[in-house]
Amino acid sequence: MEQANISSLVSLIAGAAGKIETYYTANPAKPYVPPLSDTEPHPLDNEIYPLDVRQAVQTLEGACAQLCATLVRPNYTILNRHLNIYQTAYLSVVLRAQVADVLLDEPAGLHISEISKRCKIEEKKLARILRTLCSQHIFREVSKDTFANNRLSMLLLSSDPLSSMGWHISDEPTNKSAVHLADTLLDPEWGFSDATERSPFNYALGTPDPMFRYFEGNDNPKAAEQGARFGKAMIGWNAACDSSAIVTGYPWDKLGQGTTVNDIGGGVGHISMQLCKRYKNLNLKLQDLPERIEQAEKDIWPKDCPEAIADGRIQFKPIDIFAEKPIAHCDIYLLKNVIHLMSDEVAIKVLSNVRSVMSPTSRVLVQDYIIQSPTQSGSDDEFTLKQADPPLLPNYGVGRIRQFYTDAIMMVLLNGRERTFDDFIQIGKSVGLDLVKIWDMGESSVVEFAPAVLEK
Ligand SMILES: C[S@@+](CC[C@H](N)C(=O)[O-])C[C@H]1O[C@@H](n2cnc3c(N)ncnc32)[C@H](O)[C@@H]1O
């Protein structure tokens, strides 16, 4: 009779927790793990985790979840999963009512009557919502009916870009579209279509425009506001998922003076700007839809990186990647969190447009998740990501769940998808690109392609 391996999971948890604690205690400025009640940032909060610490975090989250799923009665667990919907609904309320902002600079907390007055939500209802979130370690009930911020609720402040991502997920467009996922998939016409404009987003919002077109906001101020909010949201996403790791995880400094990097679908240029500031050998080009490029050129870069404009190290050029070719003969074409927006058919079209303007020495860098299977898939090698040790699921289970949630976001909003290693090889092959290397960025990965060598 096969038995669950409880003690191995417990020791994985102990080992991973110890490793993370050591990482904190080695920090010279604040050599301790801050308590949840602390509202001051810790210097490590926005540091990119070293790979071994990242793996410890994934092991901790994966093993805790696997241990609970194993030991706790199944009907407890499944019922709680169904009830998760209320966490999203409650987060939406506190974001919209800006509760964290109201509690800012109130270390002793505020009585619910005062919070209610300032947030314009009925007192007893708001208390129930806050108490539920406190029980999930978001906010703190200091004494009965008096609430304060804590380490987690500080990330709900309207000034924090992650709160923009919270709005994007818990409100329109994501939440409303996700509610219609089952309807869309069970619709005999919509469910079997890979067309971008046949996604649950279009089903739910009743618009024929793909989400990013909709975000351009033509005659629709609400959509334009959501689009601008999304630009900020991506900054929060990148910080939370360490996806800026590409800034230090790829050998940019080894590239020659004047290397041109075209950040295609680069949004307002959050990554380009970091590359520009850090590596003086790089010249950047930023291409995105007109609205984003205008925001970048007129608003963001003059404020945050005027020196790049003065030195002519940044070029802004709008593009519709579905219909146009990018600027030709760049050394590097970076598509970060862009290819996953697309079905295979569209991704092939976009990448073949890129391929058609590449020089023989150009490279394409695609940064997305590489989907890992929950079943063992041979041994780790230079082209695969490290698998977890048993009894953990080989893909770390809940420890790497964001790869699957991001895949869900793509399906719901755009009929896009995250891809496996084999999917990437296949897509590359079909447009004349050969795989050079997989760069493990801790959570997502960078797939480097070069023009395929033609066989004589
Ligand atoms: C998920 S965001 C990624 C932004 C940025 N690369 C990053 O990782 O922070 C996708 C970007 O693709 C852009 N995009 C979507 N459709 C596009 C199109 N047809 N042409 C050009 N850019 C597009 C969006 O405006 C958005 O900035």
Side-chain angles (χ1 to χ4, degrees), residues 212-213 216 230-231 234-235 238 243 263-271 287-290 292 319-323 334-338 340-342 367 410 414:
F212 287 106
R213 270 274 163 244
E216 289 278 284
F230 181 78
M234 275 309 296
I235 297 173
N238 285 334
S243 57
D263 187 3
I264 303 176
V268 292
H270 172 62
I271 294 294
Q287 298 208 265
D288 202 289
L289 288 167
R292 289 292 80 73
I319 188 174
D320 177 353
I321 47 175
F322 301 136
L334 171 63
L335 295 113
K336 178 177 164 301
N337 295 151
V338 170
H340 70 170
L341 310 174
M342 304 163 197
Q367 182 174 1
M410 297 309 134
L414 294 147

Side-chain angles (χ1 to χ4, degrees), residues 261-305:
V261 180
N262 189 347
D263 187 3
I264 303 176
V268 292
H270 172 62
I271 294 294
S272 314
M273 196 181 290
Q274 292 182 62
L275 291 175
C276 205
K277 286 187 171 180
R278 201 173 179 117
Y279 303 104
K280 301 296 175 215
N281 54 327
L282 304 182
N283 285 342
L284 277 300
K285 309 202 181 279
L286 183 65
Q287 298 208 265
D288 202 289
L289 288 167
E291 191 84 7
R292 289 292 80 73
I293 292 299
E294 194 179 321
Q295 197 185 356
E297 188 169 11
K298 297 207 171 129
D299 183 16
I300 310 271
W301 284 68
K303 193 160 38 86
D304 296 341
C305 197

Side-chain angles (χ1 to χ4, degrees), residues 6-26:
I6 300 303
S7 60
S8 296
L9 285 171
V10 171
S11 60
L12 279 177
I13 292 169
K19 176 142 205 138
I20 300 164
E21 190 179 17
T22 306
Y23 175 60
Y24 272 101
T25 51

